[in-house]
Amino acid sequence: FQSFQNVGKEKNFVFLSKKIEPSSVLETAPLFDGLKKELAWNKFSGPTFTESYCWPPVAWGRDVVAISHQGNDPLLYIPPVLTLLQESDYQALPNMSGVSLILCPGWRKAQLVFDLLKTYKKGCRRLHPVLVILGQNKGAASQTEIRGCEVVVTTPYNLLRLLEHNTGLLCRLCQLVLDEVEVLFSDTSEQVFTILDCYKKATAQAQGNQPHQIIAVGTQWNKHITSLIKEFMNDPHIVITVIEEAAIFGNVQQVVQRCMNSNRTAELLKILDFTQRSLQKVLVFTDSVTEVEMIHKALKSNSVVSLKKHKESKCNAVCVLERWRKMHSSGIPAVLVLTDDCLQSLGITEATCVIHFSFPSPAAFGQRLQSISDNFCTGMKDSAVHQEPTKAKSVILLTEHSSCHAPGILPYLKRAEAEIPEELYDLTARVQESEEDKKFSRPLCASLKTFGICRNRTECPDRHQINLSTDMAQNIADEMIETPERVAILPLFIVHATNYFGRIVKKQKDQYTVLAKEMNDYFKVAGHRISVNTVEKSVFYGLREGAICHRVQVVETPAKDEENLYKVTIKYVDEGRTSQVNSDQLLHLPAKFQSLPPQAVEIVVCRVKPIDNEVEWNPKVTDYINHKIKGKLHHAKVVHTLGKTVWVDPMVGVTHLPTMKIWINEYNIRSEILSMGLGTDNPEHVGEIQKLCRQVLDHAESLEHFTKEDTAGLEEASCAQDPLMQEDSAESCNSPMFLDVFFLDDVVQTKEKEDSTVHQQKGCHPPIKWFQDDVSVTLKVQILRAADSKCEFSREKVAFSAYSEGKLYVADLELYQSVIAEKSTCVVKDTEAVILLVKEKKGAWGKLLKNKNIHVSLDFEHWEGSEDERPFTTG
């Protein structure tokens, strides 16, 4: 194999399983002329070093594995794949044959590949690419038409759905491309191997002389690539341009040796005593001139032949290299001690052992491994019978001072299947904790808020813990959320399907509505529209957009230049969106319009996430939700607040019928997303947010508004709730079966307050949750260790009473429809009483009670199944 090749002016590393003459110039690259013109037209600057080695074997129709720092770039394979499809062998295939399948790790990458194919297909004959992104809805796969297309771009999950209805696709397959192969294998290994097995069987059964090719590209070696090569590829070309990844394929033995920092020299001598017996060519790397001198002196005093090289050495690189090689050829084991900056000038590639006296940074680690690249094994790592013996070894000295680069090296050592001491895990954890502390002033991670989890905390720039000073200082004012079980929300800016910015609208007199009218009236007067001469960051200004005036805050200003006009970045403080405007559009905002705090809050809909373990929503879902909810009033239950963020579950769209003084629930946002087939249940979401907020809850009860709002006791808290929070309105938030109606006239509200007072006199009303099926209704009365309980049933009424911890609890419920009293039962448990009501007539009830009761609400968990089955009925 080749270790080095000169391509252009730079000398780069490349590890090849077979000799390849690189195509370093576009004009001579193995691509058809039309594609070369298209690449040149799009100002393509390549081929890059890796592309110069990848393109030829792909264009020859060979199986290829390519690992490179640019391994996530689709142009590693798209040009030669398109070239192959234009060749006569492929053009001669029947119309139903000759498909290329590109498998991507997620919808976003699949979209990028598809867009590139559309860009470069212009110079191709008979090329019709198709992007397949399916939901989980039945019938979606059967409606997908792929006849007549030559390139299918999709993901593993979507392909398996497609294969259920199009089993013949793999029989037509000529090329299978695995894009970002390490991500495919780490996230979806089971699905990928299922596809590979099906492809292998289809290939074996295929008739005729149809070509078959597998191409895998990525940035890192993955252990599953070994199985891919052995079981599914035919004598592939392996191209690796990352030294440390080639070391894993080349079976370099990685050893982590623990020792105290003060004892490193003694540990080094022990290692050298072992290596010298086998006449290994040893390099000892360190990062300082002082340590080179110290090690060199220690080795000489212990009768170890040693040479040294650092930037202050009198002897030049050529001289040191000649002496080191001459000694080894004479059978004298000489150790070369050097600093990292000398390796390039020496150009050593034939060493058999490197010892990292100073713990390496990721960049230095790869450079050091390059010095043993001639001894990388070329055989597969687990070819059990005649495995090529390990020739190269890398020994890392791990001390208590090694924490700086530990997180960068640990993932690599795991992939290299090295034996890792517990101390390295501990050092890494401490460094990551320290790095997390440095993010304390950053915003809270968006993925954590939206889905309850962040997939890659080490790479994420935002924080993953609560900052009490920031989050509490920004906490939403209590008056903004008077009744958290039923708040009115106006989403104005849609970030994605479950994350919005908008306003919480007060039920009685909304302060912002008053302010907005006053501002609009004020700025209608031309003399009041005073442009700002000097724009300052963080200052509030006015901005007119047509007839509407907004309050905005400047978040970013460009560097000052000679021009008077310039673009500034502003935030609409009452809507949450940002944009850029000319500086002269900003108007002086009187103080009276600045007294009301910014009204924009961030809204997160809970318990739903993208399918297929995707990290972000497909634009189809976001576009649909944006069109459906933007600027429309919604009702929601708040389950958490933190800073300017509220988590809601559920959130429903509502319509007001003013003539009847009623609101009608039209749809549930979560149900709408689920019904599209591109979202799935996320039951851990709320729990993760609760865990995140636990430290804040210890300091402020106000973050969970649906718990006690004062210290007078549970019964007073429940009796003091807003009468707008009615039993049937809570039910309908999550129910797909019926429209919800609740009244807003003063007479009804007054009667509810009177009823609440009566309950207080007779006894405290226990909280009750209910759910139903076609045959029965189940009520769960939340009461601890009930004593002297009584439950009386009649055709249209159920009355429950019991004592708990010295207090009397009474629930006298007049039912919406009739039940069979003789068959109804009540079972008292330690934490609740369960009442089962058998319906007189089968079917769904529109609500539970004839009269509204603020202490009775729907048991959302038990309504979950029916909610997921079908969306909200539209009124």
Side-chain angles (χ1 to χ4, degrees):
F1 65 95
Q2 295 156 268
S3 292
F4 289 93
Q5 280 290 332
N6 271 313
V7 176
K9 296 180 180 179
E10 288 188 30
K11 195 175 189 182
N12 294 279
F13 173 87
V14 60
F15 180 100
L16 302 170
S17 60
K18 302 172 184 294
K19 185 174 176 63
I20 299 173
E21 287 300 326
S23 300
S24 56
V25 181
L26 183 60
E27 286 73 15
T28 58
L31 308 178
F32 71 94
D33 292 338
L35 183 56
K36 289 179 184 177
K37 290 177 182 176
E38 202 63 46
L39 286 165
W41 177 261
N42 285 279
K43 298 181 179 178
F44 176 70
S45 59
T48 63
F49 178 76
T50 308
E51 287 164 353
S52 69
Y53 283 95
C54 281
W55 286 0
V58 173
W60 301 334
R62 308 290 173 80
D63 288 350
V64 175
V65 174
I67 305 296
S68 162
H69 285 307
Q70 293 79 42
N72 55 2
D73 185 355
L75 289 179
L76 271 180
Y77 60 83
I78 284 179
V81 163
L82 294 181
T83 297
L84 264 180
L85 291 175
Q86 300 306 300
E87 289 185 353
S88 56
D89 290 349
Y90 282 78
Q91 293 285 325
L93 290 171
N95 288 334
M96 293 296 291
S97 300
V99 175
S100 292
L101 174 65
I102 301 176
L103 217 52
C104 300
W107 70 260
R108 184 170 287 281
K109 185 60 182 290
Q111 184 68 56
L112 170 66
V113 171
F114 180 65
D115 290 342
L116 284 171
L117 286 170
K118 287 195 297 182
T119 298
Y120 292 111
K121 76 170 188 176
K122 296 169 186 174
C124 305
R125 295 167 293 166
R126 203 189 66 153
L127 182 67
H128 305 288
V130 65
L131 175 65
V132 178
I133 302 294
L134 304 171
Q136 292 178 326
N137 290 346
K138 293 178 181 178
S142 59
Q143 295 168 8
T144 303
E145 182 57 62
I146 58 172
R147 288 190 177 189
C149 70
E150 287 73 39
V151 186
V152 176
V153 186
T154 188
T155 69
Y157 287 103
N158 284 295
L159 178 62
L160 290 175
R161 291 186 197 110
L162 184 63
L163 291 178
E164 289 180 12
H165 297 273
N166 198 326
T167 52
L169 173 64
L170 294 181
C171 298
R172 301 166 52 196
L173 211 58
C174 291
Q175 291 168 313
L176 174 61
V177 180
L178 303 179
D179 187 291
E180 294 189 50
V181 64
E182 77 283 1
V183 182
L184 288 172
F185 276 136
S186 61
D187 294 349
T188 54
S189 60
E190 184 180 342
Q191 289 77 15
V192 172
F193 278 118
T194 299
I195 292 164
L196 287 168
D197 285 331
C198 293
Y199 177 52
K200 189 175 183 179
K201 291 175 185 174
T203 307
Q205 296 170 2
Q207 298 179 351
N209 222 5
Q210 188 168 306
H212 294 103
Q213 179 184 30
I214 297 179
I215 304 159
V217 299
T219 58
Q220 294 180 342
W221 188 265
N222 180 286
K223 63 180 180 180
H224 293 304
I225 298 177
T226 302
S227 301
L228 171 69
I229 292 172
K230 288 177 61 181
E231 298 175 29
F232 302 100
M233 286 184 155
N234 180 25
D235 193 23
H237 282 69
I238 299 170
V239 179
I240 307 177
T241 58
V242 184
I243 300 163
E244 48 269 46
E245 303 305 323
I248 296 178
F249 175 77
N251 202 16
V252 173
Q253 183 184 4
Q254 297 288 349
V255 179
V256 182
Q257 192 68 42
R258 293 168 292 178
C259 63
M260 296 299 291
N261 191 65
S262 57
N263 200 35
R264 277 189 298 169
T265 305
E267 196 65 43
L268 175 64
L269 290 169
K270 287 182 190 176
I271 297 167
L272 290 175
D273 183 53
F274 173 77
T275 56
Q276 283 188 300
R277 294 174 194 169
S278 55
L279 294 175
Q280 293 196 43
K281 296 181 178 179
V282 181
L283 301 180
V284 178
F285 285 97
T286 185
D287 52 14
S288 77
V289 173
T290 305
E291 284 189 343
V292 170
E293 294 291 345
M294 181 268 292
I295 296 167
H296 179 62
K297 186 176 181 181
L299 295 181
K300 286 179 69 176
S301 63
N302 283 274
S303 303
V304 177
V305 179
S306 170
L307 299 173
K308 64 180 181 180
K309 181 72 182 87
H310 54 73
K311 59 185 177 182
E312 297 176 11
S313 299
K314 294 178 181 178
C315 193
N316 63 33
V318 175
C319 175
V320 171
L321 188 60
E322 283 181 358
R323 289 175 61 195
W324 186 66
R325 285 175 172 163
K326 189 177 291 184
M327 286 178 176
H328 279 286
S329 61
S330 304
I332 302 171
V335 177
L336 176 56
V337 186
L338 69 161
T339 52
D340 293 310
D341 52 10
C342 296
L343 182 57
Q344 193 167 3
S345 60
L346 289 167
I348 296 173
T349 58
E350 73 272 23
T352 55
C353 179
V354 294
I355 300 173
H356 308 270
F357 190 82
S358 64
F359 198 88
S361 66
F365 187 59
Q367 188 182 18
R368 293 173 181 183
L369 292 179
Q370 185 173 319
S371 61
I372 55 175
S373 58
D374 285 355
N375 292 301
F376 290 175
C377 296
T378 55
M380 296 306 298
K381 189 172 184 178
D382 65 345
S383 38
V385 185
H386 301 295
Q387 183 169 337
E388 193 173 341
T390 300
K391 294 179 181 178
K393 180 185 286 189
S394 164
V395 183
I396 300 173
L397 296 185
L398 175 67
T399 76
E400 69 274 20
H401 295 158
S402 301
S403 60
C404 182
H405 299 300
I409 297 298
L410 178 60
Y412 175 81
L413 293 175
K414 284 182 181 178
R415 291 191 295 109
E417 298 180 354
E419 190 173 326
I420 301 171
E422 200 61 38
E423 288 85 347
L424 186 53
Y425 285 107
D426 293 340
L427 282 172
T428 301
R430 286 203 293 271
V431 173
Q432 289 175 343
E433 188 177 337
S434 173
E435 289 298 316
E436 193 65 41
D437 289 341
K438 293 177 184 176
K439 304 174 184 176
F440 214 50
S441 60
R442 294 280 306 163
L444 191 62
C445 169
S447 178
L448 192 63
K449 288 192 288 188
T450 307
F451 305 122
I453 187 173
C454 178
R455 300 280 180 81
N456 193 352
R457 294 195 174 202
T458 54
E459 298 296 325
C460 178
D462 294 328
R463 64 182 162 96
H464 304 87
Q465 55 187 319
I466 299 301
N467 181 338
L468 284 174
S469 60
T470 303
D471 295 331
M472 292 304 293
Q474 295 180 359
N475 201 20
I476 300 169
D478 288 339
E479 62 267 16
M480 290 180 68
I481 306 177
E482 292 180 336
T483 312
E485 292 86 347
R486 174 67 70 152
V487 296
I489 289 177
L490 191 66
L492 298 167
F493 172 61
I494 312 304
V495 180
H496 56 66
T498 55
N499 184 215
Y500 333 120
F501 284 87
R503 287 199 305 274
I504 293 177
V505 182
K506 295 186 69 174
K507 295 184 180 72
Q508 306 304 323
K509 187 176 181 181
D510 184 48
Q511 291 174 288
Y512 179 76
T513 304
V514 176
L515 175 73
K517 185 179 184 308
E518 290 177 355
M519 277 201 305
N520 289 336
D521 291 343
Y522 177 83
F523 283 111
K524 277 180 184 176
V525 180
H528 292 164
R529 296 196 290 269
I530 304 170
S531 295
V532 179
N533 293 326
T534 305
V535 174
E536 297 180 41
K537 193 174 179 180
S538 302
V539 174
F540 287 78
Y541 299 102
L543 176 69
R544 291 193 82 204
E545 289 183 343
I548 301 174
C549 187
H550 301 274
R551 299 191 302 172
V552 300
Q553 183 181 29
V554 174
V555 293
E556 190 177 327
T557 57
K560 298 294 181 183
D561 54 25
E562 295 180 1
E563 295 182 19
N564 292 324
L565 295 180
Y566 49 89
K567 292 281 186 182
V568 293
T569 304
I570 57 166
K571 180 176 182 179
Y572 295 73
V573 296
D574 301 308
E575 293 186 10
R577 61 189 169 108
T578 58
S579 69
Q580 282 196 328
V581 296
N582 289 328
S583 58
D584 66 334
Q585 291 179 256
L586 299 179
L587 306 173
H588 173 70
L589 188 68
K592 64 179 180 178
F593 297 138
Q594 299 186 36
S595 58
L596 184 68
Q599 297 293 291
V601 295
E602 184 181 23
I603 304 146
V604 179
V605 173
C606 297
R607 293 190 308 116
V608 62
K609 63 182 178 180
I611 59 171
D612 302 343
N613 216 24
E614 294 274 8
V615 296
E616 55 186 329
W617 287 108
N618 189 297
K620 290 180 183 177
V621 190
T622 298
D623 292 345
Y624 174 77
I625 293 298
N626 180 64
H627 177 73
K628 194 168 192 72
I629 75 170
K630 186 176 179 180
K632 299 175 184 176
L633 195 65
H634 292 72
H635 285 172
K637 176 181 177 181
V638 176
V639 296
H640 263 299
T641 67
L642 184 68
K644 284 285 187 180
T645 303
V646 296
W647 285 266
V648 295
D649 184 24
M651 179 171 167
V652 295
V654 294
T655 297
H656 186 213
L657 302 180
T659 55
M660 299 176 64
K661 296 185 178 179
I662 61 173
W663 291 90
I664 297 178
N665 290 353
E666 291 189 11
Y667 56 84
N668 180 320
I669 290 178
R670 181 173 179 274
S671 297
E672 290 291 309
I673 294 172
L674 292 171
S675 70
M676 293 186 72
L678 294 170
T680 188
D681 189 35
N682 185 11
E684 296 86 12
H685 187 187
V686 178
E688 290 298 321
I689 299 303
Q690 289 172 343
K691 192 188 302 180
L692 177 73
C693 296
R694 195 159 292 148
Q695 56 178 296
V696 182
L697 291 173
D698 293 338
H699 290 78
E701 292 180 358
S702 62
L703 284 176
E704 205 165 272
H705 291 278
F706 56 88
T707 61
K708 300 179 188 178
E709 295 197 5
D710 53 53
T711 58
L714 178 62
E715 67 281 1
E716 292 180 24
S718 63
C719 292
Q721 290 182 30
D722 192 318
L724 284 178
M725 175 51 207
Q726 300 303 337
E727 162 264 324
D728 54 0
S729 27
E731 296 160 14
S732 64
C733 286
N734 225 25
S735 168
M737 293 186 176
F738 51 86
L739 299 179
D740 167 57
V741 178
F742 61 95
F743 296 86
L744 296 180
D745 60 2
D746 295 336
V747 176
V748 173
Q749 292 187 34
T750 304
K751 184 178 184 303
E752 288 163 356
K753 289 177 181 176
E754 291 172 356
D755 290 344
S756 180
T757 307
V758 171
H759 279 303
Q760 279 185 299
Q761 292 170 353
K762 291 170 60 179
C764 188
H765 200 300
I768 298 175
K769 291 184 178 292
W770 77 282
F771 61 94
Q772 66 172 318
D773 55 30
D774 285 344
V775 178
S776 64
V777 177
T778 303
L779 281 69
K780 290 189 174 183
V781 184
Q782 311 297 304
I783 186 168
L784 291 172
R785 294 176 288 279
D788 298 331
S789 63
K790 294 179 183 178
C791 193
E792 298 177 358
F793 301 99
S794 64
R795 190 165 176 266
E796 295 182 347
K797 194 173 182 180
V798 58
F800 174 86
S801 64
Y803 284 91
S804 174
E805 299 179 344
K807 296 172 185 174
L808 175 63
Y809 288 84
V810 177
D812 196 358
L813 308 174
E814 192 173 355
L815 301 173
Y816 176 65
Q817 292 191 30
S818 304
V819 298
I820 304 173
E822 306 80 56
K823 293 185 179 181
S824 300
T825 58
C826 176
V827 178
V828 178
K829 299 181 180 180
D830 189 49
T831 59
E832 63 184 7
V834 180
I835 299 172
L836 180 69
L837 303 175
V838 179
K839 295 177 179 179
E840 191 174 80
K841 293 181 181 179
K842 292 184 179 180
W845 287 9
K847 55 183 179 179
L848 177 66
L849 305 177
K850 284 185 179 178
N851 300 314
K852 303 172 189 295
N853 189 320
I854 63 173
H855 311 292
V856 181
S857 62
L858 183 69
D859 188 338
F860 293 113
E861 292 181 7
H862 289 84
W863 278 90
E864 184 64 19
S866 60
E867 177 202 338
D868 291 351
E869 288 172 10
R870 55 182 182 241
F872 230 97
T873 307
T874 302

